[in-house]
Amino acid sequence: MVLETAAIATAAKPLVEKIVVELITPKIKQFVVWCKDEYNEKMIPTAEHFQEYLERTYEKYSCINVLAIPNSQFQLKDIYVTQSLVKYNRFESEGDTTIINRLPTELIKKYKKLLITDTAGMGKSTILKYMFIDLIDKGLNEVGIPIFVELNRLNKNRSILIEIQEEMDSLSKKFDTNLLFKLIQTGGFIFFLDGYDEISIADRNYVIQDIQSFISKAGTKNYYILSSRPEDSLASFGDFQSFKVQPLAKKEAFELLTKYDISNQKKISEELIKELKTGKYDSIDEYLVNPLLVSLLYIAFNYKAEIPLKKHQFYRQVYDALFNSHKLAQGQKPHEKRSGLDIDDFNRVLRFVGYECLISIGVQFGKDTILDSIKRAKTFCGNLNFGESDFLKDLMTSVPLFSKDGTEYKWSHKSLMEYFAARFIAEDAKEKQDTILTSIYNSEDYYKYINMLDIYYDIDYKGFSKNITLPLLEKFIAYRNKHYPKLYNNVDKELLEARIALLFPFCLTGITNYSFFKRKGRGKQELSFFYKNVKDDRWFGTSYGYYDDFVILGFQKQENSKYCYLSRLILIKRPELFTKNTRKPEKIDKNLYKENMIYKIDVLSGDNDISLFQLINSLLSDGNRQLYSYYFDYNAVISETEKIKKEIEISKNQLDLLPK
């Protein structure tokens, strides 16, 4: 059903009033009594503050911009397809699944702090908004007062507490920030912290410390749900229980496609689903697991009645559809472009803006910031004449790739920005292309570029191979040759090659008994005795593998973690370069390792017992979460490296193509 804002506001009022009467008002009365002698009662947050905030926020998140249907808003509840969260834990019932068709109160009460991580477009933000709406709809008071925080709004000058205070404040009803925090410290709040990965790079360290400090000082009587793409710095939220979003089943993907027909006169989904069921497009099944890519598929098919087979083709067809959106519905007046630019020139400007947003500006920004970027893009393109403000207005209306939130502008989805940035590097960077890609490979923030690189691979395979694949494969070859033992007795070559490749993503590994690990804890402080002799103190994360009462600990630093992220991307693109560890151990004597030590693992650990050697390999496979038990095949890597080098040499010595 197409959104009717007034109807939502009317519906929200009694729902919010119920929460205010039953939960918020009694809480504030208790708080007033507690601090009456010490503080001015007028500076304490009131029930009216919460009433206004919850009504406004409910209305805001009930409305959703649907990329598949430009220039329209819909009710989230009408367009939402039920998704599930899968618990990510190596020690307790791994794989437990929770269906998110309502706020999962039992899950929240059990863990108190939930971390939802997954790749671009899997619907993390949508799930958080759906939970927020459901809490108010059903008056689920037992989990507390809901506060929704968009983390991309935080920076070094805007703390999480200031963001909450300003969202709840009004011109006529000011209150004291410190008293708000004291109220939060009494407990009974649930914080939805959305978009950790969208925090600007420039302010990242400050904002992370601020969030951690807020959670630590807010006490133990509140609940938190944090969403993000995978990032190394999330290791600092080790007390959060991790969850991933369950990929869509085909049935769910088709249901979502059907929902996109909500405002179309013709049923696009019927024809599209029929095509997908023919079996001709099995190669894009991986796209159907992702809600964003499902929506892009709908837009692309609606525009051209063709199913694009590669991810960047999705984005290009989506851009074409949005630019020419007037052609999608007969009888509509064409959207005039204020900038006066045609489809290709508009694209050129967007590529520059997308790249600047990727490397420095971020997903959300003020008007002056984005106008400055558009102005620089105009200078870069050289021969274009248009007004920066006109171009921004086009992005909001006639080519709706941007949306507005208060005074801030943002990309409709981060992956759209990454698509245009990828095209800028491939098509516009020219002689700086290699330098840019090499800088990304060497960057400490490499994980910020993974989705962009995923798109880039199909646009410029040679550039990706030269600057991303080759240096990673050469690192692996050097590691393998350095650690391959001259003498080994009981271990066959296949197991040995697997061991070395499985150790590659880690800088230090150890094995211990599960009961000892559980007793000692997982933090760096508790395990410092194990790696106390390592001089570099910058640990980025720890992976855990569990098998038959044994635990393996795989410690990573920045470079090791980068190997995991990039290897996973290459695994998706080039699975023939990998082998899956399938050799499982026989029954193991559980007394092999004492319970009061962690034993360091190296290339030949367990070589006196083949079953033990296989056990350690299985543990390493289990601990290397990014790669799902796959590891580099040495011979395939050698062959691919030689192939890439040969391609580079051919490019350097191309035939003379100048006209005679």
Side-chain angles (χ1 to χ4, degrees), residues 476 480 493 497 576-577 632-642:
F476 169 70
R480 184 268 184 192
K493 192 173 188 300
E497 292 286 5
E576 68 273 17
L577 299 179
F632 275 127
D633 181 301
Y634 178 69
N635 291 328
V637 166
I638 288 289
S639 176
E640 181 67 13
T641 302
E642 292 173 352

Side-chain angles (χ1 to χ4, degrees), residues 4-118:
E4 294 181 5
T5 305
I8 289 180
T10 301
K13 193 171 186 64
L15 297 173
V16 171
E17 283 178 349
K18 183 176 183 293
I19 293 176
V20 169
V21 170
E22 295 180 0
L23 183 63
I24 297 175
T25 299
K27 182 177 185 62
I28 291 177
K29 285 182 178 179
Q30 289 179 343
F31 185 69
V32 169
V33 171
W34 177 78
C35 62
K36 187 173 183 180
D37 296 332
E38 190 173 351
Y39 299 102
N40 183 342
E41 188 174 331
K42 292 182 180 179
M43 298 303 291
I44 295 174
T46 67
E48 194 172 351
H49 284 108
F50 285 95
Q51 175 89 25
E52 289 184 4
Y53 166 74
L54 292 175
E55 286 181 10
R56 179 171 17 93
T57 309
Y58 181 92
E59 183 179 330
K60 176 181 178 180
Y61 294 129
S62 292
C63 313
I64 183 170
N65 290 304
V66 180
L67 193 59
I69 312 166
N71 295 311
S72 299
Q73 282 193 324
F74 298 85
Q75 289 201 44
L76 173 60
K77 290 178 285 188
D78 290 337
I79 210 75
Y80 179 75
V81 169
T82 299
Q83 294 185 259
S84 300
L85 298 179
V86 182
K87 188 173 77 168
Y88 199 82
N89 189 298
R90 294 291 172 180
F91 305 108
E92 299 176 16
S93 305
E94 182 191 356
D96 283 357
T97 301
T98 301
I99 298 173
I100 307 301
N101 54 8
R102 59 180 179 82
L103 181 76
T105 53
E106 298 84 3
L107 201 69
I108 293 167
K109 287 180 178 180
K110 181 177 180 179
Y111 296 110
K112 300 194 74 173
K113 298 176 181 178
L114 278 58
L115 171 61
I116 302 174
T117 61
D118 222 308

Side-chain angles (χ1 to χ4, degrees), residues 110-234:
K110 181 177 180 179
Y111 296 110
K112 300 194 74 173
K113 298 176 181 178
L114 278 58
L115 171 61
I116 302 174
T117 61
D118 222 308
T119 52
M122 285 302 291
K124 301 177 291 294
S125 293
T126 301
I127 288 173
L128 259 65
K129 291 170 184 176
Y130 185 84
M131 290 180 182
F132 181 92
I133 296 300
D134 190 64
L135 186 153
I136 295 176
D137 276 344
K138 297 188 173 70
L140 299 172
N141 295 346
E142 67 266 33
V143 293
I145 303 166
I147 303 291
F148 202 103
V149 181
E150 296 180 20
L151 297 178
N152 60 18
R153 293 174 58 85
L154 307 185
N155 54 54
K156 61 183 178 182
N157 298 315
R158 189 179 183 86
S159 69
I160 185 171
L161 186 59
I162 290 174
E163 169 66 15
I164 295 169
Q165 193 253 355
E166 291 190 4
E167 281 294 301
M168 291 180 57
D169 217 339
S170 67
L171 293 175
S172 59
K173 305 179 187 69
K174 296 287 184 180
F175 60 86
D176 184 77
T177 306
N178 292 328
L179 286 176
L180 170 64
F181 191 57
K182 288 185 180 296
L183 179 62
I184 290 171
Q185 287 177 315
T186 65
F189 290 85
I190 176 169
F191 294 93
F192 297 86
L193 308 175
D194 186 38
Y196 175 90
D197 57 289
E198 294 184 8
I199 300 169
S200 70
I201 293 175
D203 297 321
R204 174 164 294 265
N205 290 337
Y206 176 88
V207 173
I208 291 172
Q209 291 174 11
D210 177 58
I211 295 172
Q212 290 173 336
S213 175
F214 175 85
I215 293 173
S216 174
K217 294 177 181 178
T220 59
K221 298 179 181 180
N222 296 307
Y223 300 103
Y224 304 88
I225 305 176
L226 174 65
S227 75
S228 178
R229 291 187 189 182
E231 292 199 4
D232 291 326
S233 58
L234 287 169

Side-chain angles (χ1 to χ4, degrees), residues 41 152 214 367 390 422 534 619 626:
E41 188 174 331
N152 60 18
F214 175 85
K367 184 175 183 178
D390 289 334
V534 179
L619 288 167
Q626 292 285 339

